[in-house]
Amino acid sequence: MAEVSVAGVTMRFGEMTALDDVSLDFVNGGFFALLGPSGSGKTTLLRVIAGFLFPQAGRVRIAGQPVERVPVEKREIGMMFQNYALFPNLTVAENVGFGLRVRHVSRAEERRRVGEALDLVQLSGLGARRPRELSGGQRQRVALARAIVTNPKVLLLDEPLSALDKALRVDMQIELKRIQREVGITTIFVTHDQEEALTLADRIGILRDGRLVQAGPPREVYNAPIDTFTARFLGEANLLPDPLPVPLPDGARLSLTSAAAHAVRPEALTLSPGPIAAAENLLPGRLVSRVFAGSMATCIVAVLGETWKVVARDRDLPQLPENTEVWLGWARADTIPIDRA
Amino acid sequence: MAQAPIPGDGRRAAGLLAPAYLWLTLAVFLPLSAMLFFSFLTAAPFGTESPRATLENYRDFFETPTYALLLWKSIRLGLWVTLLCVLIGFPCALVLARQIRGRAREALFLLVILPFWSNSLVRVFSWAIVLRGNGVLDRTLDALLPFDVRLGLMFTPAAVVIGLVHSYLPYVILTSYLALQAIEDDIFDAARALGAGRITILRRLILPLSLPGLIAGAVLVFVPVVGSFMEPRILGGRFGTYFGTVIEDQFVAVFNWPLGAALSFILLAVVLAILGLSSPVLRRGLT
Ligand SMILES: Nc1ncnc2c1ncn2[C@@H]1O[C@H](COP(=O)(O)OP(=O)(O)OP(=O)(O)O)[C@@H](O)[C@H]1O
Ligand SMILES: [Mg+2]
């Protein structure tokens, strides 16, 4: 367990710059989620921290020690891969014990620690199985046990849950969080799934085209996105058009700050067939469609030439025919000012 | 993944397999049974006198110690050639599968398969040119080294081994390559992340995971090499008498087909027995 810090890291593959001057600190025992669109450099950053890749510039420190030139074998990291990468010729116990065997731990000690790790991931009793005799979720747990049994300084996870179906994924998220808390290991987690990042992590970082756009606690990044990209990437965001039409449609009112852009979350909006007297912000629009999805419903509304989403409990949204005029209202506190467009 | 058989599937499968079985019957089973039949006759049924049934040919083998000695010599040859093919072929396959990417790999692959495409006689005679006294090898080494080189490899057992290794190496390279190719790259990253060095990865992951291919290649080499006759005859000179050459003689020189057939079946039985005896070991490697 240790803190990890990345400073000014630049990683190029030939002409292609995969990481551009990325600086990030990962606190000891923290759970950090790296988010970003495909090709933004998440895997590359993780592999730089792991030691599979050596960056052209910048520093990587684990527990204060510079490790840019230390190969992966010597970095004392735990890593979990998207397809688990279990050793097919070894049993579950041998898989988990692999790292201990490499470290010349005694057989008795190995047996004890493998047993503990399997207990931790709730797989006790499956030690003699082969990976191919396990379900997807069980393989996942073996991979996790194998990654943490050596007490690594940092646990690196590259989209570890993306191969699981939705229900199992949610179970594993809870499980992963529990184990991470129990072990207290510094964890860096790459994911495509922003909901997953918001649920699991105590800090998140957003990458775009190899640059770090924003990092911070999930609530802070969600409530105060630094630019429109982050606002839209992390959760849904309805952006006000820039520039605003002058004059505003009849009956509309807005109270905005001087920020470069403004956004409203779909769940902050109230939809009504007529103007809402109490609303601090109010805009007319046209109902395009309504999508029912169990507990929640989504309305698509055309507003000032933009397409906005309104999300609410199904019974809180009035049943209206499509193409009728509707009004959207929200409180001043729900307007998210964004510094950079 | 096993699927429950669908009723009627068996019949359709049989129908689809019929041509293959027919071909096997015609191409393998019939000639083999004819040979087996010959091996119990006093003479091949082509001459004027009518042949009688006999066990004489098999008794010949057991009463003439030379045959057993030659068979043992052939088995030793098979083991040597197989061992060398494995020792040379597996590292080649490993480099091909794990180190080299893209175009270079295709080109090297072509070079590996090249021996398959050349006529085997041409191949063997080229070795004769290279290995003979004052041949290509001797002269090259002479030119490169300050002292007199006279290897005199031609017409020695070593020449036979060299020729055979060259002919059969591609089998080991190809089967090992296919097995190595099938290993997921991620597991090497996973092993490195766990602190494993190259040797550990080779010993605990690469070797066990590619063993089935390596064994398949070894069997593909061993079986034909034990019965080989062309390479021993051309490259072996006076050392070139092996079990295979004796069998060939019965067919093309002495015209004693029944004895040749009997010796062939003894060879087949011995090879099958060797594979059978080693199968517990082989099977362990295959799972
Ligand atoms: N070994 C490599 N050689 C050349 N280019 C590479 C290599 N690895 C990554 N890249 C490039 O670097 C960029 C970042 O890749 P990376 O794998 O880090 O993206 P990612 O954020 O993990 O994407 P995804 O979400 O799709 O996994 C991509 O444009 C990719 O094409
Ligand atoms: Mg990736």
Side-chain angles (χ1 to χ4, degrees), chain A residues 47 52 72-73 77 79 81 83 85-90 98-99 101-103 146, chain B residues 184 186-197 200-201 204-205 208-209 287:
Chain A
R47 291 178 76 83
F52 289 110
V72 53
E73 299 86 17
I77 52 136
M79 185 144 182
F81 297 81
N83 59 0
L86 297 179
F87 308 132
N89 55 320
L90 303 181
F98 191 92
R101 194 72 64 91
V102 168
R103 286 164 179 75
R146 184 179 68 177
Chain B
E184 271 184 71
D186 269 1
I187 73 165
F188 301 115
D189 285 350
R192 292 183 63 199
L194 289 166
T200 308
I201 291 177
R204 293 204 60 200
L205 299 175
L209 284 171
T287 48

mmCIF file of all heavy atoms in Angstrom, chain A residues 47 52 72-73 77 79 81 83 85-90 98-99 101-103 146, chain B residues 184 186-197 200-201 204-205 208-209 287:
data_model
loop_
_atom_site.group_PDB
_atom_site.id
_atom_site.type_symbol
_atom_site.label_atom_id
_atom_site.label_comp_id
_atom_site.label_asym_id
_atom_site.label_seq_id
_atom_site.Cartn_x
_atom_site.Cartn_y
_atom_site.Cartn_z
ATOM 1 N N ARG A 47 -0.764 1.202 -17.863
ATOM 2 C CA ARG A 47 0.398 0.381 -18.192
ATOM 3 C C ARG A 47 1.714 1.119 -17.909
ATOM 4 O O ARG A 47 2.732 0.484 -17.668
ATOM 5 C CB ARG A 47 0.330 -0.103 -19.642
ATOM 6 C CG ARG A 47 -0.798 -1.118 -19.840
ATOM 7 C CD ARG A 47 -0.919 -1.579 -21.267
ATOM 8 N NE ARG A 47 0.122 -2.530 -21.644
ATOM 9 C CZ ARG A 47 0.072 -3.826 -21.400
ATOM 10 N NH1 ARG A 47 -0.956 -4.346 -20.777
ATOM 11 N NH2 ARG A 47 1.052 -4.609 -21.775
ATOM 12 N N PHE A 52 4.722 -1.657 -17.723
ATOM 13 C CA PHE A 52 4.799 -2.306 -19.036
ATOM 14 C C PHE A 52 5.311 -1.326 -20.083
ATOM 15 O O PHE A 52 5.882 -1.726 -21.091
ATOM 16 C CB PHE A 52 3.426 -2.818 -19.474
ATOM 17 C CG PHE A 52 2.943 -3.997 -18.703
ATOM 18 C CD1 PHE A 52 1.885 -3.893 -17.824
ATOM 19 C CD2 PHE A 52 3.550 -5.233 -18.852
ATOM 20 C CE1 PHE A 52 1.435 -4.986 -17.106
ATOM 21 C CE2 PHE A 52 3.108 -6.335 -18.140
ATOM 22 C CZ PHE A 52 2.056 -6.208 -17.260
ATOM 23 N N VAL A 72 8.194 -3.948 -14.857
ATOM 24 C CA VAL A 72 6.978 -4.366 -14.170
ATOM 25 C C VAL A 72 7.224 -5.467 -13.142
ATOM 26 O O VAL A 72 6.632 -5.462 -12.064
ATOM 27 C CB VAL A 72 5.902 -4.780 -15.196
ATOM 28 C CG1 VAL A 72 6.420 -5.811 -16.171
ATOM 29 C CG2 VAL A 72 4.666 -5.295 -14.514
ATOM 30 N N GLU A 73 8.152 -6.402 -13.461
ATOM 31 C CA GLU A 73 8.382 -7.531 -12.548
ATOM 32 C C GLU A 73 8.820 -7.057 -11.158
ATOM 33 O O GLU A 73 8.649 -7.752 -10.168
ATOM 34 C CB GLU A 73 9.463 -8.472 -13.085
ATOM 35 C CG GLU A 73 9.162 -9.129 -14.413
ATOM 36 C CD GLU A 73 9.574 -8.255 -15.580
ATOM 37 O OE1 GLU A 73 10.357 -7.312 -15.370
ATOM 38 O OE2 GLU A 73 9.106 -8.491 -16.705
ATOM 39 N N ILE A 77 3.326 -4.604 -8.037
ATOM 40 C CA ILE A 77 1.969 -4.135 -8.294
ATOM 41 C C ILE A 77 1.052 -5.358 -8.421
ATOM 42 O O ILE A 77 1.513 -6.476 -8.626
ATOM 43 C CB ILE A 77 1.893 -3.347 -9.610
ATOM 44 C CG1 ILE A 77 2.513 -4.160 -10.733
ATOM 45 C CG2 ILE A 77 2.595 -2.017 -9.483
ATOM 46 C CD1 ILE A 77 1.735 -4.146 -11.974
ATOM 47 N N MET A 79 -2.258 -6.554 -10.707
ATOM 48 C CA MET A 79 -2.987 -6.072 -11.879
ATOM 49 C C MET A 79 -4.052 -7.079 -12.265
ATOM 50 O O MET A 79 -3.861 -8.281 -12.180
ATOM 51 C CB MET A 79 -2.011 -5.854 -13.034
ATOM 52 C CG MET A 79 -2.663 -5.236 -14.241
ATOM 53 S SD MET A 79 -1.531 -4.104 -15.072
ATOM 54 C CE MET A 79 -2.561 -3.499 -16.390
ATOM 55 N N PHE A 81 -6.835 -7.960 -15.403
ATOM 56 C CA PHE A 81 -7.051 -7.680 -16.815
ATOM 57 C C PHE A 81 -8.509 -7.896 -17.196
ATOM 58 O O PHE A 81 -9.241 -8.631 -16.536
ATOM 59 C CB PHE A 81 -6.158 -8.578 -17.670
ATOM 60 C CG PHE A 81 -4.701 -8.341 -17.438
ATOM 61 C CD1 PHE A 81 -4.055 -8.913 -16.349
ATOM 62 C CD2 PHE A 81 -3.985 -7.530 -18.278
ATOM 63 C CE1 PHE A 81 -2.718 -8.685 -16.115
ATOM 64 C CE2 PHE A 81 -2.640 -7.297 -18.058
ATOM 65 C CZ PHE A 81 -2.005 -7.872 -16.985
ATOM 66 N N ASN A 83 -9.860 -9.594 -19.559
ATOM 67 C CA ASN A 83 -10.303 -10.983 -19.789
ATOM 68 C C ASN A 83 -9.729 -11.908 -18.720
ATOM 69 O O ASN A 83 -9.582 -13.094 -18.948
ATOM 70 C CB ASN A 83 -9.910 -11.439 -21.187
ATOM 71 C CG ASN A 83 -8.419 -11.349 -21.384
ATOM 72 O OD1 ASN A 83 -7.702 -10.936 -20.458
ATOM 73 N ND2 ASN A 83 -7.932 -11.735 -22.515
ATOM 74 N N ALA A 85 -7.146 -13.138 -17.757
ATOM 75 C CA ALA A 85 -5.795 -13.662 -17.992
ATOM 76 C C ALA A 85 -5.371 -14.666 -16.929
ATOM 77 O O ALA A 85 -4.247 -14.642 -16.439
ATOM 78 C CB ALA A 85 -4.780 -12.514 -18.081
ATOM 79 N N LEU A 86 -6.256 -15.576 -16.566
ATOM 80 C CA LEU A 86 -5.871 -16.657 -15.656
ATOM 81 C C LEU A 86 -5.001 -17.648 -16.420
ATOM 82 O O LEU A 86 -5.109 -17.767 -17.633
ATOM 83 C CB LEU A 86 -7.119 -17.361 -15.121
ATOM 84 C CG LEU A 86 -8.035 -16.490 -14.274
ATOM 85 C CD1 LEU A 86 -9.244 -17.294 -13.811
ATOM 86 C CD2 LEU A 86 -7.299 -15.916 -13.083
ATOM 87 N N PHE A 87 -4.135 -18.359 -15.692
ATOM 88 C CA PHE A 87 -3.276 -19.342 -16.339
ATOM 89 C C PHE A 87 -4.074 -20.627 -16.522
ATOM 90 O O PHE A 87 -4.396 -21.304 -15.545
ATOM 91 C CB PHE A 87 -2.027 -19.593 -15.487
ATOM 92 C CG PHE A 87 -1.312 -18.316 -15.110
ATOM 93 C CD1 PHE A 87 -0.920 -18.077 -13.808
ATOM 94 C CD2 PHE A 87 -1.052 -17.348 -16.074
ATOM 95 C CE1 PHE A 87 -0.264 -16.904 -13.466
ATOM 96 C CE2 PHE A 87 -0.400 -16.170 -15.733
ATOM 97 C CZ PHE A 87 -0.014 -15.949 -14.429
ATOM 98 N N PRO A 88 -4.376 -20.999 -17.765
ATOM 99 C CA PRO A 88 -5.314 -22.108 -17.982
ATOM 100 C C PRO A 88 -4.772 -23.462 -17.545
ATOM 101 O O PRO A 88 -5.540 -24.375 -17.278
ATOM 102 C CB PRO A 88 -5.565 -22.073 -19.494
ATOM 103 C CG PRO A 88 -4.452 -21.292 -20.067
ATOM 104 C CD PRO A 88 -3.949 -20.366 -19.007
ATOM 105 N N ASN A 89 -3.433 -23.594 -17.475
ATOM 106 C CA ASN A 89 -2.860 -24.894 -17.133
ATOM 107 C C ASN A 89 -2.721 -25.086 -15.621
ATOM 108 O O ASN A 89 -2.342 -26.154 -15.186
ATOM 109 C CB ASN A 89 -1.484 -25.041 -17.790
ATOM 110 C CG ASN A 89 -0.547 -23.904 -17.419
ATOM 111 O OD1 ASN A 89 -0.954 -22.756 -17.352
ATOM 112 N ND2 ASN A 89 0.695 -24.230 -17.150
ATOM 113 N N LEU A 90 -3.027 -24.054 -14.843
ATOM 114 C CA LEU A 90 -2.873 -24.165 -13.393
ATOM 115 C C LEU A 90 -4.245 -24.162 -12.716
ATOM 116 O O LEU A 90 -5.207 -23.618 -13.244
ATOM 117 C CB LEU A 90 -2.043 -22.988 -12.858
ATOM 118 C CG LEU A 90 -0.653 -22.809 -13.468
ATOM 119 C CD1 LEU A 90 0.054 -21.630 -12.831
ATOM 120 C CD2 LEU A 90 0.176 -24.071 -13.315
ATOM 121 N N PHE A 98 0.700 -18.197 -7.632
ATOM 122 C CA PHE A 98 1.780 -17.983 -8.602
ATOM 123 C C PHE A 98 2.780 -16.921 -8.139
ATOM 124 O O PHE A 98 3.988 -17.141 -8.140
ATOM 125 C CB PHE A 98 1.174 -17.590 -9.951
ATOM 126 C CG PHE A 98 2.143 -17.603 -11.094
ATOM 127 C CD1 PHE A 98 2.315 -18.739 -11.869
ATOM 128 C CD2 PHE A 98 2.897 -16.474 -11.411
ATOM 129 C CE1 PHE A 98 3.202 -18.756 -12.931
ATOM 130 C CE2 PHE A 98 3.795 -16.485 -12.464
ATOM 131 C CZ PHE A 98 3.945 -17.622 -13.224
ATOM 132 N N GLY A 99 2.246 -15.783 -7.732
ATOM 133 C CA GLY A 99 3.110 -14.673 -7.322
ATOM 134 C C GLY A 99 3.891 -14.993 -6.062
ATOM 135 O O GLY A 99 5.015 -14.515 -5.868
ATOM 136 N N ARG A 101 4.857 -18.116 -5.207
ATOM 137 C CA ARG A 101 5.875 -19.072 -5.624
ATOM 138 C C ARG A 101 7.062 -18.341 -6.230
ATOM 139 O O ARG A 101 8.221 -18.656 -5.956
ATOM 140 C CB ARG A 101 5.228 -20.025 -6.644
ATOM 141 C CG ARG A 101 5.982 -21.290 -6.980
ATOM 142 C CD ARG A 101 5.983 -22.322 -5.863
ATOM 143 N NE ARG A 101 4.684 -22.861 -5.512
ATOM 144 C CZ ARG A 101 4.144 -23.943 -6.052
ATOM 145 N NH1 ARG A 101 4.772 -24.589 -7.014
ATOM 146 N NH2 ARG A 101 2.988 -24.381 -5.639
ATOM 147 N N VAL A 102 6.764 -17.308 -7.044
ATOM 148 C CA VAL A 102 7.832 -16.515 -7.643
ATOM 149 C C VAL A 102 8.693 -15.864 -6.562
ATOM 150 O O VAL A 102 9.905 -15.732 -6.705
ATOM 151 C CB VAL A 102 7.230 -15.426 -8.569
ATOM 152 C CG1 VAL A 102 8.280 -14.419 -8.974
ATOM 153 C CG2 VAL A 102 6.601 -16.065 -9.797
ATOM 154 N N ARG A 103 8.049 -15.497 -5.445
ATOM 155 C CA ARG A 103 8.777 -14.829 -4.361
ATOM 156 C C ARG A 103 9.388 -15.821 -3.375
ATOM 157 O O ARG A 103 9.816 -15.436 -2.286
ATOM 158 C CB ARG A 103 7.834 -13.878 -3.624
ATOM 159 C CG ARG A 103 7.529 -12.623 -4.416
ATOM 160 C CD ARG A 103 6.322 -11.882 -3.869
ATOM 161 N NE ARG A 103 6.058 -10.670 -4.627
ATOM 162 C CZ ARG A 103 5.514 -10.634 -5.839
ATOM 163 N NH1 ARG A 103 5.167 -11.766 -6.429
ATOM 164 N NH2 ARG A 103 5.310 -9.496 -6.452
ATOM 165 N N ARG A 146 -5.631 -13.358 -6.988
ATOM 166 C CA ARG A 146 -4.268 -13.518 -7.469
ATOM 167 C C ARG A 146 -3.527 -12.179 -7.449
ATOM 168 O O ARG A 146 -2.331 -12.123 -7.157
ATOM 169 C CB ARG A 146 -4.296 -14.067 -8.903
ATOM 170 C CG ARG A 146 -2.948 -14.369 -9.468
ATOM 171 C CD ARG A 146 -3.039 -14.924 -10.861
ATOM 172 N NE ARG A 146 -3.518 -13.943 -11.827
ATOM 173 C CZ ARG A 146 -3.628 -14.170 -13.138
ATOM 174 N NH1 ARG A 146 -3.339 -15.353 -13.628
ATOM 175 N NH2 ARG A 146 -4.059 -13.235 -13.945
ATOM 176 N N GLU B 184 -2.909 -16.891 -25.050
ATOM 177 C CA GLU B 184 -3.274 -15.472 -24.963
ATOM 178 C C GLU B 184 -2.103 -14.638 -24.481
ATOM 179 O O GLU B 184 -1.439 -15.001 -23.512
ATOM 180 C CB GLU B 184 -4.401 -15.302 -23.939
ATOM 181 C CG GLU B 184 -5.774 -15.439 -24.492
ATOM 182 C CD GLU B 184 -6.771 -15.144 -23.389
ATOM 183 O OE1 GLU B 184 -6.868 -13.970 -23.003
ATOM 184 O OE2 GLU B 184 -7.406 -16.087 -22.913
ATOM 185 N N ASP B 186 -2.148 -11.875 -22.910
ATOM 186 C CA ASP B 186 -2.391 -11.266 -21.609
ATOM 187 C C ASP B 186 -1.811 -12.074 -20.454
ATOM 188 O O ASP B 186 -1.435 -11.501 -19.439
ATOM 189 C CB ASP B 186 -3.896 -11.117 -21.376
ATOM 190 C CG ASP B 186 -4.380 -9.763 -21.861
ATOM 191 O OD1 ASP B 186 -3.546 -9.003 -22.363
ATOM 192 O OD2 ASP B 186 -5.582 -9.491 -21.724
ATOM 193 N N ILE B 187 -1.742 -13.397 -20.606
ATOM 194 C CA ILE B 187 -1.280 -14.171 -19.455
ATOM 195 C C ILE B 187 0.209 -13.921 -19.197
ATOM 196 O O ILE B 187 0.674 -14.043 -18.076
ATOM 197 C CB ILE B 187 -1.583 -15.681 -19.565
ATOM 198 C CG1 ILE B 187 -0.693 -16.355 -20.580
ATOM 199 C CG2 ILE B 187 -3.042 -15.945 -19.848
ATOM 200 C CD1 ILE B 187 -0.725 -17.863 -20.416
ATOM 201 N N PHE B 188 0.947 -13.510 -20.226
ATOM 202 C CA PHE B 188 2.356 -13.186 -19.985
ATOM 203 C C PHE B 188 2.459 -11.872 -19.218
ATOM 204 O O PHE B 188 3.290 -11.735 -18.328
ATOM 205 C CB PHE B 188 3.117 -13.122 -21.298
ATOM 206 C CG PHE B 188 3.052 -14.419 -22.060
ATOM 207 C CD1 PHE B 188 2.425 -14.502 -23.280
ATOM 208 C CD2 PHE B 188 3.587 -15.573 -21.512
ATOM 209 C CE1 PHE B 188 2.345 -15.702 -23.960
ATOM 210 C CE2 PHE B 188 3.521 -16.783 -22.184
ATOM 211 C CZ PHE B 188 2.887 -16.841 -23.414
ATOM 212 N N ASP B 189 1.588 -10.925 -19.594
ATOM 213 C CA ASP B 189 1.560 -9.667 -18.838
ATOM 214 C C ASP B 189 1.173 -9.945 -17.392
ATOM 215 O O ASP B 189 1.755 -9.378 -16.462
ATOM 216 C CB ASP B 189 0.538 -8.704 -19.462
ATOM 217 C CG ASP B 189 1.060 -8.085 -20.748
ATOM 218 O OD1 ASP B 189 2.261 -8.264 -21.026
ATOM 219 O OD2 ASP B 189 0.279 -7.432 -21.450
ATOM 220 N N ALA B 190 0.181 -10.812 -17.215
ATOM 221 C CA ALA B 190 -0.271 -11.126 -15.862
ATOM 222 C C ALA B 190 0.868 -11.741 -15.064
ATOM 223 O O ALA B 190 1.099 -11.379 -13.905
ATOM 224 C CB ALA B 190 -1.464 -12.075 -15.916
ATOM 225 N N ALA B 191 1.619 -12.652 -15.698
ATOM 226 C CA ALA B 191 2.725 -13.302 -14.997
ATOM 227 C C ALA B 191 3.806 -12.295 -14.644
ATOM 228 O O ALA B 191 4.359 -12.314 -13.542
ATOM 229 C CB ALA B 191 3.303 -14.419 -15.866
ATOM 230 N N ARG B 192 4.092 -11.377 -15.571
ATOM 231 C CA ARG B 192 5.121 -10.366 -15.281
ATOM 232 C C ARG B 192 4.667 -9.468 -14.136
ATOM 233 O O ARG B 192 5.456 -9.125 -13.258
ATOM 234 C CB ARG B 192 5.393 -9.521 -16.528
ATOM 235 C CG ARG B 192 6.065 -10.301 -17.637
ATOM 236 C CD ARG B 192 6.372 -9.399 -18.809
ATOM 237 N NE ARG B 192 7.309 -8.347 -18.444
ATOM 238 C CZ ARG B 192 7.475 -7.229 -19.139
ATOM 239 N NH1 ARG B 192 6.765 -7.015 -20.225
ATOM 240 N NH2 ARG B 192 8.351 -6.328 -18.750
ATOM 241 N N ALA B 193 3.380 -9.088 -14.145
ATOM 242 C CA ALA B 193 2.873 -8.239 -13.070
ATOM 243 C C ALA B 193 3.030 -8.941 -11.725
ATOM 244 O O ALA B 193 3.222 -8.301 -10.698
ATOM 245 C CB ALA B 193 1.420 -7.883 -13.321
ATOM 246 N N LEU B 194 2.968 -10.270 -11.732
ATOM 247 C CA LEU B 194 3.122 -11.024 -10.491
ATOM 248 C C LEU B 194 4.593 -11.216 -10.127
ATOM 249 O O LEU B 194 4.910 -11.857 -9.133
ATOM 250 C CB LEU B 194 2.442 -12.388 -10.614
ATOM 251 C CG LEU B 194 0.911 -12.335 -10.630
ATOM 252 C CD1 LEU B 194 0.334 -13.666 -11.082
ATOM 253 C CD2 LEU B 194 0.390 -11.977 -9.251
ATOM 254 N N GLY B 195 5.483 -10.698 -10.958
ATOM 255 C CA GLY B 195 6.893 -10.725 -10.623
ATOM 256 C C GLY B 195 7.687 -11.817 -11.313
ATOM 257 O O GLY B 195 8.850 -12.027 -10.996
ATOM 258 N N ALA B 196 7.075 -12.535 -12.253
ATOM 259 C CA ALA B 196 7.756 -13.659 -12.879
ATOM 260 C C ALA B 196 8.730 -13.186 -13.945
ATOM 261 O O ALA B 196 8.403 -12.328 -14.761
ATOM 262 C CB ALA B 196 6.732 -14.603 -13.507
ATOM 263 N N GLY B 197 9.920 -13.758 -13.952
ATOM 264 C CA GLY B 197 10.906 -13.472 -14.987
ATOM 265 C C GLY B 197 10.706 -14.406 -16.174
ATOM 266 O O GLY B 197 9.813 -15.251 -16.178
ATOM 267 N N THR B 200 10.809 -18.305 -15.458
ATOM 268 C CA THR B 200 9.590 -18.794 -14.811
ATOM 269 C C THR B 200 8.448 -18.859 -15.808
ATOM 270 O O THR B 200 7.693 -19.836 -15.835
ATOM 271 C CB THR B 200 9.199 -17.850 -13.656
ATOM 272 O OG1 THR B 200 10.328 -17.674 -12.819
ATOM 273 C CG2 THR B 200 8.047 -18.420 -12.869
ATOM 274 N N ILE B 201 8.322 -17.825 -16.633
ATOM 275 C CA ILE B 201 7.228 -17.810 -17.609
ATOM 276 C C ILE B 201 7.394 -18.973 -18.584
ATOM 277 O O ILE B 201 6.435 -19.674 -18.915
ATOM 278 C CB ILE B 201 7.197 -16.451 -18.341
ATOM 279 C CG1 ILE B 201 6.772 -15.358 -17.367
ATOM 280 C CG2 ILE B 201 6.252 -16.505 -19.528
ATOM 281 C CD1 ILE B 201 6.762 -13.972 -17.953
ATOM 282 N N ARG B 204 6.806 -22.404 -16.392
ATOM 283 C CA ARG B 204 5.506 -22.677 -15.784
ATOM 284 C C ARG B 204 4.332 -22.385 -16.708
ATOM 285 O O ARG B 204 3.217 -22.837 -16.460
ATOM 286 C CB ARG B 204 5.349 -21.867 -14.490
ATOM 287 C CG ARG B 204 6.329 -22.336 -13.423
ATOM 288 C CD ARG B 204 5.868 -22.014 -12.037
ATOM 289 N NE ARG B 204 4.596 -22.630 -11.695
ATOM 290 C CZ ARG B 204 3.827 -22.207 -10.713
ATOM 291 N NH1 ARG B 204 4.175 -21.160 -10.011
ATOM 292 N NH2 ARG B 204 2.693 -22.819 -10.440
ATOM 293 N N LEU B 205 4.542 -21.594 -17.771
ATOM 294 C CA LEU B 205 3.413 -21.270 -18.641
ATOM 295 C C LEU B 205 3.643 -21.712 -20.086
ATOM 296 O O LEU B 205 2.880 -22.509 -20.618
ATOM 297 C CB LEU B 205 3.129 -19.761 -18.598
ATOM 298 C CG LEU B 205 2.758 -19.229 -17.211
ATOM 299 C CD1 LEU B 205 2.610 -17.722 -17.246
ATOM 300 C CD2 LEU B 205 1.473 -19.875 -16.715
ATOM 301 N N PRO B 208 4.340 -25.811 -20.532
ATOM 302 C CA PRO B 208 3.158 -26.656 -20.336
ATOM 303 C C PRO B 208 2.040 -26.360 -21.326
ATOM 304 O O PRO B 208 1.375 -27.269 -21.809
ATOM 305 C CB PRO B 208 2.690 -26.324 -18.913
ATOM 306 C CG PRO B 208 3.763 -25.552 -18.281
ATOM 307 C CD PRO B 208 4.680 -25.045 -19.325
ATOM 308 N N LEU B 209 1.870 -25.087 -21.685
ATOM 309 C CA LEU B 209 0.749 -24.750 -22.560
ATOM 310 C C LEU B 209 0.994 -25.152 -24.009
ATOM 311 O O LEU B 209 0.056 -25.333 -24.764
ATOM 312 C CB LEU B 209 0.445 -23.248 -22.476
ATOM 313 C CG LEU B 209 -0.278 -22.812 -21.206
ATOM 314 C CD1 LEU B 209 -0.337 -21.305 -21.113
ATOM 315 C CD2 LEU B 209 -1.680 -23.404 -21.168
ATOM 316 N N THR B 287 -2.913 -32.802 -21.237
ATOM 317 C CA THR B 287 -4.060 -32.233 -20.513
ATOM 318 C C THR B 287 -3.674 -30.959 -19.794
ATOM 319 O O THR B 287 -2.517 -30.721 -19.538
ATOM 320 C CB THR B 287 -4.604 -33.230 -19.471
ATOM 321 O OG1 THR B 287 -3.517 -33.743 -18.719
ATOM 322 C CG2 THR B 287 -5.339 -34.349 -20.148
#
